[in-house]
Each structure stands twice: as C-alpha cells, then as structure tokens.
Amino acid sequence: MGTDHDTAAFAVESIRRWWNAAGRDAYPGARGLLVTADAGGSSGYRTRAWKAELAAFALQAGLEVTVGSVGEF
C-alpha cells in the first residue's frame, strides 16, 4: 500500500489508491463516497490533517466525501 510518517496522509492515500484501482470502475456512477473512521489518534476524523488530505482527495476525484464515526452506522 505504501508508507508515510503521517497517519492521516497514509489513510487518505489508501483510500485514493483503492478508488483509483477498484472503486471508480466498480462504481462508475458514484457521485459520493462514505468513509467510516474512528475518532482517535492522528487518523481520527476530527483532525485538521485528515480533513485537509480528504478534501484534496475529494476535489481530485470529483466526489462528495462524507465521513462518519464507526459507531454512527
């Protein structure tokens, strides 16, 4: 998958790679992506780095990305 010292960057890069390798072909009409995440550590859905990395991915992919806590769903 890859490595990065920043957990938020690593997590979003993992989503990006999945989307580019499988997601966009499996869901060609998708306009959005639902991501569930825990609320802890640097990969928690509340951190600024996570939000910035995810926003950049959403813009690049042309998707509306919604993030929710694992316990919400």
Side-chain angles (χ1 to χ4, degrees):
M1 225 187 259
T3 60
D4 196 296
H5 70 282
D6 180 358
T7 306
F10 177 80
V12 174
E13 182 61 21
S14 298
I15 295 167
R16 179 181 286 110
R17 287 181 183 215
W18 170 82
W19 178 253
N20 290 332
R24 68 177 169 195
D25 290 334
Y27 306 100
R31 293 179 290 148
L33 184 63
L34 173 63
V35 176
T36 57
D38 67 15
S42 63
S43 62
Y45 69 89
R46 295 180 184 140
T47 68
R48 180 173 289 158
W50 167 253
K51 291 176 184 178
E53 295 285 341
L54 204 54
F57 162 70
L59 186 62
Q60 175 229 358
L63 295 169
E64 180 178 319
V65 178
T66 302
V67 179
S69 173
V70 173
E72 290 182 294
F73 302 101

